[in-house]
């Protein structure tokens, strides 16, 4: 069997999606121009903390919570007209998730370079 490695999938996703810096994300968040979405597992949030004003949507539920046709759709949780700015711990899962949202038809989607590790060392407040 010939399968693509996870790193290949991440590299392919990175070539197709928009990657932004923590400073860009901070500005967008402060100007209320995005939905800041933390896709890390709940155990990661409990251990490492969370970014103030971010929304937690576990990676495994992202497509379902953002699909208006899904029984799991979270009506009113996010502004569907704003950019979806995703982050995970380091940037790999959020790259794959951003590509999936693009594949679903979302036009305004990006992910944060360096993920939570970079956010922890930025202007964002960690709670």
């Amino acid at each position: 069997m010939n399968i693509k490695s996870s790193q290949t999938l991440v590299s392919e996703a990175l070539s197709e999606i928009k990657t932004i810096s923590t400073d860009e994300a901070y500005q967008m968040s402060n100007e209320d121009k995005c939905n800041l979405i933390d896709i890390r597992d709940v155990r990661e949030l409990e251990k490492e903390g969370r970014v103030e004003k971010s929304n937690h949507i576990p990676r495994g539920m992202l497509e379902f919570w953002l699909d208006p046709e899904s029984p799991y759709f979270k009506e009113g949780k996010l502004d569907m007209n704003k950019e979806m700015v995703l982050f995970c711990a380091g940037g790999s899962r959020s790259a794959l998730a951003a590509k999936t949202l693009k594949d679903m038809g979302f036009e305004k989607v990006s992910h944060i370079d360096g993920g939570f590790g970079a956010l922890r060392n930025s202007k964002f407040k960690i709670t």
Side-chain angles (χ1 to χ4, degrees):
M1 177 176 19
N2 189 13
I3 62 169
K4 287 186 182 182
S5 70
S6 57
Q7 189 53 51
T8 297
L9 291 173
V10 170
S11 294
E12 290 174 357
L14 287 170
S15 72
E16 297 179 36
I17 63 167
K18 178 179 168 187
T19 300
I20 64 173
S21 69
T22 57
D23 286 340
E24 290 170 293
Y26 186 79
Q27 182 175 350
M28 290 173 71
S29 179
N30 276 350
E31 294 173 358
D32 198 26
K33 292 184 177 178
C34 71
N35 297 293
L36 189 60
I37 304 172
D38 187 340
I39 66 166
R40 295 177 299 149
D41 182 88
V42 68
R43 290 177 297 268
E44 291 174 281
L45 274 71
E46 291 168 356
K47 182 179 178 186
E48 302 291 330
R50 33 181 356 137
V51 175
E52 190 174 68
K53 299 181 185 175
S54 67
N55 297 282
H56 178 240
I57 302 177
R59 173 65 189 103
M61 293 303 294
L62 183 68
E63 296 87 347
F64 302 102
W65 285 15
L66 295 182
D67 173 6
E69 303 298 317
S70 168
Y72 299 102
F73 179 63
K74 299 294 185 180
E75 182 74 45
K77 182 171 175 70
L78 302 174
D79 184 335
M80 300 295 276
N81 296 308
K82 292 181 182 174
E83 183 156 345
M84 304 294 174
V85 176
L86 308 176
F87 68 92
C88 61
S92 295
R93 286 175 289 173
S94 58
L96 295 173
K99 179 172 183 318
T100 298
L101 292 185
K102 275 190 69 177
D103 291 346
M104 288 177 70
F106 285 88
E107 295 177 4
K108 296 185 280 186
V109 61
S110 59
H111 92 115
I112 299 173
D113 187 31
F116 185 76
L119 289 166
R120 194 177 10 215
N121 299 313
S122 73
K123 298 174 187 173
F124 281 98
K125 182 178 179 183
I126 308 300
T127 58

